[in-house]
Amino acid sequence: MIVGVDLGGTKIATGLLDAGGRMLARSQKATAGLKSSEEVIQAIVDTITEVSGEHEIAGVGLASPGAVDTRRGIIRNGVNLPGWNGISLQWELEKRLQVPAKLINDANAAAWGEYVYGAGRGAQSMVYVTLSTGIGSGLVLDGKLYLGTSSFAGELGHTVVDPNGALCGCGQRGCWETYASGTAIARQASEAAAAAAEGMTQMTVLAEAEGVPLSAKHVFQAAAMNDKLAQETLEQVIHYTGLGLMNIIHSFNPDCIVIGGGVSRAGAAFFEPLRGKTGELVMEPYRGTYAIKPAELKDDVGIIGAAALFVE
Ligand code: ADP
Ligand code: ZN
């Protein structure tokens, strides 16, 4: 049995998995209210003890957002975890639980999970991309999770597709995620709506009916209802998403690209034009060398991917 832990923005989610990747038990705890690293570590240990029961555990894998130093077992910037800098969580857990532990960035965990148990099964080289609030990614090259020198490899969301583009949270301009993340889709749609003569489109109508800000989901819904502005926005989004995939294909020559995250929930309305656009953009020798697939693991991808670190 293996344990996987997902240290998310709001909760610690932990699962017990068998070697086939089936989740046999699950437990979670909110991180709000935890005041010190000691309390966070104790909460993690509690969820692990809860799911483990009487089972013998071969290892505990942990997925965390942000910069994770996998080789030293350290979370470099615990965005949501108080007093966290520089603590060797791996060592703390191994000491308390007497089982091997491994730490990994959450996008890398998702990549490995999709490779071992999901849409990337059987691929030689697979690149995983999550189109969510931002863009995360992970690389499995020649069957191995590629971590890089400091284990920070795979920040493809911050590769630049337009040096004069919109300002990104990282300080750079025109990062891929400023065009193709869910947040970016909503922003581009809002800009298009504001610039339109009437200022009102099916997208804004849908958002107002729900009483929420315009989101990527509304853009896809409005496009399906033939809203011209939504369709034009998506055309631009698909173009930039395709550019990002082109860069991936030209860089890594993967046979499989797996796309997850909220935006992938748009389904065929997203994947079909994206496959077409990417095919137009890549250089000739790359055509037909890769497949673009929707992710298969859903909400528990972090838990499953972290546990899969103990699967060879
Ligand atoms: P997080 O970034 O918190 O992990 P998600 O992976 O769910 O969250 O991504 C959230 C983004 O996905 C939001 O921008 C949201 O608008 C978008 N999204 C959610 N559902 C859909 C959908 N059905 N179609 C298109 N975009 C969607
Ligand atoms: Zn950036």
Side-chain angles (χ1 to χ4, degrees):
M1 299 290 166
I2 320 166
V3 170
V5 181
D6 186 3
L7 300 172
T10 57
K11 63 180 191 291
I12 299 161
T14 301
L16 177 74
L17 280 82
D18 67 13
R22 271 176 301 266
M23 197 172 307
L24 308 177
R26 197 182 184 290
S27 163
Q28 67 180 57
K29 266 193 163 63
T31 47
L34 297 174
K35 284 181 213 67
S36 63
S37 56
E38 181 52 43
E39 284 183 16
V40 174
I41 294 168
Q42 193 53 52
I44 295 170
V45 169
D46 288 346
T47 61
I48 295 171
T49 314
E50 222 175 285
V51 298
S52 302
E54 300 297 306
H55 294 284
E56 193 167 320
I57 303 302
V60 175
L62 294 100
S64 165
V68 178
D69 184 337
T70 295
R71 293 194 179 85
R72 294 196 295 163
I74 292 173
I75 298 174
R76 282 274 286 267
N77 57 350
V79 204
N80 307 301
L81 305 167
W84 200 250
N85 282 331
I87 291 168
S88 177
L89 182 57
Q90 179 184 345
W91 186 80
E92 292 287 343
L93 291 175
E94 288 180 345
K95 187 179 67 171
R96 288 163 207 235
L97 297 163
Q98 298 296 311
V99 295
K102 286 183 190 176
L103 240 67
I104 193 159
N105 163 270
D106 57 358
N108 287 337
W112 188 242
E114 287 290 343
Y115 183 73
V116 176
Y117 293 124
R121 271 193 317 271
Q124 181 180 344
S125 291
M126 182 208 88
V127 177
Y128 171 80
V129 178
T130 171
L131 304 175
S132 312
T133 309
I135 295 184
S137 59
L139 309 167
V140 179
L141 303 178
D142 291 327
K144 277 203 171 126
L145 185 63
Y146 180 79
L147 293 173
T149 305
S150 323
S151 57
F152 303 158
E155 281 294 349
L156 301 179
H158 297 285
T159 53
V160 173
V161 292
D162 178 2
N164 303 313
L167 194 60
C168 179
C170 75
Q172 201 53 260
R173 278 192 182 277
C175 290
W176 189 28
E177 81 169 30
T178 66
Y179 289 98
S181 66
T183 316
I185 296 172
R187 191 202 72 239
Q188 291 165 101
S190 300
E191 285 169 2
E198 324 83 81
M200 200 71 176
T201 78
Q202 191 60 47
M203 302 186 282
T204 36
V205 171
L206 287 168
E208 276 170 22
E210 279 180 43
V212 296
L214 176 58
S215 77
K217 194 183 71 180
H218 301 124
V219 184
F220 281 96
Q221 282 172 346
M225 298 163 83
N226 283 322
D227 181 69
K228 201 158 171 304
L229 218 48
Q231 288 173 338
E232 284 169 6
T233 303
L234 280 187
E235 222 169 277
Q236 176 171 313
V237 166
I238 296 287
H239 183 240
Y240 278 104
T241 311
L243 275 181
L245 296 189
M246 175 196 82
N247 288 335
I248 289 172
I249 292 161
H250 291 169
S251 301
F252 304 108
N253 188 20
D255 51 334
C256 182
I257 297 175
V258 175
I259 302 183
V263 177
S264 73
R265 272 180 240 141
F270 177 64
F271 280 92
E272 276 172 23
L274 179 60
R275 289 186 184 112
K277 178 52 78 178
T278 309
E280 287 169 24
L281 290 168
V282 293
M283 287 194 285
E284 198 279 321
Y286 292 91
R287 298 216 173 101
T289 60
Y290 60 86
I292 299 173
K293 298 181 180 177
E296 285 179 11
L297 307 179
K298 303 295 173 202
D299 292 343
D300 287 328
V301 63
I303 298 177
I304 296 168
L309 291 172
F310 286 90
V311 175
E312 283 307 311

